[in-house]
Amino acid sequence: MFKGILIEKNNDHYSVSIRSLEDSELPEGDVTIDVSYSTLNYKDGLAITGKSPVVRRFPMVPGIDLVGTVTQSDSERFVVGDQVLLNGFGVGENHWGGLAEKARLNSDWLLKLPTGLSAKQAMAIGTAGYTAMLSVIALERHGITPEKGDVLVTGANGGVGSFAIKLLSKLGYRVIASTGRPEEGEYLKALGAAEIINRNTLSEAGRPMGKERWIAAVDSVGSHTLANICAGLKYGGIVTACGLAQGMDFPASVAPFILRGVTLAGIDSVYRPIADREEAWARLANLLTDADLGSIGTEIGLDKVLTTAEDLIAGKIRGRIMVNLQH
């Protein structure tokens, strides 16, 4: 027996509870893992609260991240005792995820825990840090260097935003942080933000083209915010789109693209190829210190996940939430 969060749906009744589960209930997979840490991401919050139809199959254990120890393996890539991590691949949506003490997974979805990272550190980073790193790599590949101008980060108090600020500032970029919680200004400055703006300046319908303000941006918000970012990009600039906290719509004009040659780069973290994942995680292991992660992450136990998920969706959480499954 092991404990986990189980989401069930019978007709129109959606329920979430912490349950005792049996090994025989685990889904198919060639690797079984004792989970040491998982996380609580925005997508997990949506799944647990039922605010959005994230879960595609029921019953479901949510949790799009996990790290743990292999206890059984039919894969040539992993042996018993290996420390492994997972982000995405539909886990927590189509396949039981990390918010349980055990998981059974497809070995093709797994990475070995990078050298230099502990299990706790890996989940302090999680999908949020990994997504932020993919965004930073996209900016670098576009030729964006610190001397070319400011980089805007939206959703700055969230997990992706927090890591984007930290990573960019460590790499020498001047970062502008956009937030709806100005009282968190000291936190954002401690991460490395040089300037803070109110998200209200970006969240309403704006002009097709505006003043050139930033050479690049990392956006986890979408909707009018993303449209206004594009309108304010400098010539040849780029914005990475990796979230939809404001909405899925994109009420924009083609003007910035054809008059300033800007680029909109989509960042998919769920089905990213293994080689890209390995590159991102290697960079994260080299760039981030324990002190960096301590300022971004908060640890809770499984018993606190349901109430914390409500706070996350309500915008009351900053940074990362790590869930200790061995607590």
Side-chain angles (χ1 to χ4, degrees):
M1 301 287 288
F2 63 97
K3 287 185 177 180
I5 292 175
L6 195 69
I7 302 174
E8 298 176 277
K9 187 176 183 181
N10 295 309
N11 297 320
D12 291 330
H13 181 64
Y14 194 93
S15 64
V16 186
S17 60
I18 299 175
R19 292 269 301 275
S20 291
L21 303 166
E22 297 186 12
D23 286 17
S24 60
E25 296 180 77
L26 287 167
E28 292 184 358
D30 57 353
V31 176
T32 304
I33 298 164
D34 277 349
V35 181
S36 52
Y37 280 91
S38 185
T39 62
L40 189 62
N41 294 281
Y42 192 77
K43 184 180 285 186
D44 301 317
L46 292 173
I48 290 167
T49 61
K51 299 292 186 182
S52 182
V54 170
V55 177
R56 308 298 182 187
R57 184 178 299 174
F58 297 91
M60 178 59 61
V61 172
I64 64 174
D65 291 332
L66 67 83
V67 64
T69 304
V70 174
T71 58
Q72 183 178 345
S73 176
D74 295 320
S75 165
E76 295 181 356
R77 295 180 59 220
F78 302 102
V79 299
V80 172
D82 279 346
Q83 293 281 298
V84 294
L85 69 84
L86 173 136
N87 310 108
F89 283 110
V91 168
E93 302 172 72
N94 297 305
H95 189 100
W96 281 21
L99 286 169
E101 293 170 342
K102 290 188 178 183
R104 185 171 292 141
L105 300 162
N106 185 328
S107 60
D108 291 339
W109 304 339
L110 300 172
L111 297 178
K112 287 189 177 179
L113 185 66
T115 301
L117 285 181
S118 67
K120 182 176 179 178
Q121 288 173 326
M123 288 298 96
I125 295 169
T127 285
Y130 153 67
T131 302
M133 190 73 249
L134 291 174
S135 289
V136 172
I137 291 171
L139 301 190
E140 292 174 335
R141 289 180 176 170
H142 194 73
I144 304 300
T145 53
E147 62 272 13
K148 289 192 174 181
D150 295 343
V151 179
L152 173 70
V153 174
T154 63
N157 282 297
V160 174
S162 294
F163 273 105
I165 294 168
K166 175 61 70 174
L167 291 166
L168 288 163
S169 65
K170 287 180 80 80
L171 290 167
Y173 295 88
R174 185 180 187 276
V175 181
I176 302 173
S178 168
T179 180
R181 288 185 278 167
E183 68 275 11
E184 298 285 3
E186 291 305 313
Y187 165 74
L188 299 174
K189 289 179 181 177
L191 291 178
E195 183 181 343
I196 299 169
I197 63 174
N198 195 300
R199 72 181 179 197
N200 292 337
T201 63
L202 297 169
S203 60
E204 302 296 330
R207 294 182 298 172
M209 294 272 283
K211 180 182 178 182
E212 295 181 70
R213 301 175 64 185
W214 33 73
I215 190 62
V218 176
D219 177 58
S220 58
V221 178
S223 191
H224 289 292
T225 297
L226 180 55
N228 287 323
I229 290 170
C230 292
L233 279 169
K234 294 182 178 181
Y235 189 91
I238 178 174
V239 53
T240 62
C242 55
L244 41 71
Q246 186 180 4
M248 292 183 65
D249 59 324
F250 182 45
S253 162
V254 299
F257 302 101
I258 61 177
L259 297 178
R260 290 186 184 159
V262 305
T263 296
L264 173 58
I267 301 297
D268 166 55
S269 63
V270 178
Y271 295 107
R272 200 78 176 204
I274 290 294
D276 290 354
R277 294 168 181 267
E278 290 174 339
E279 177 186 5
W281 276 100
R283 292 283 303 277
L284 288 161
N286 288 330
L287 280 170
L288 296 174
T289 67
D290 201 44
D292 295 329
L293 298 174
S295 65
I296 295 174
T298 302
E299 182 176 325
I300 62 172
L302 193 65
D303 59 324
K304 301 293 184 184
V305 168
L306 301 187
T307 54
T308 306
E310 296 281 355
D311 290 339
L312 178 63
I313 297 303
K316 299 178 181 178
I317 301 294
R318 77 177 188 193
R320 296 281 294 146
I321 302 296
M322 299 165 287
V323 182
N324 186 342
L325 274 303
Q326 303 300 318
H327 183 64

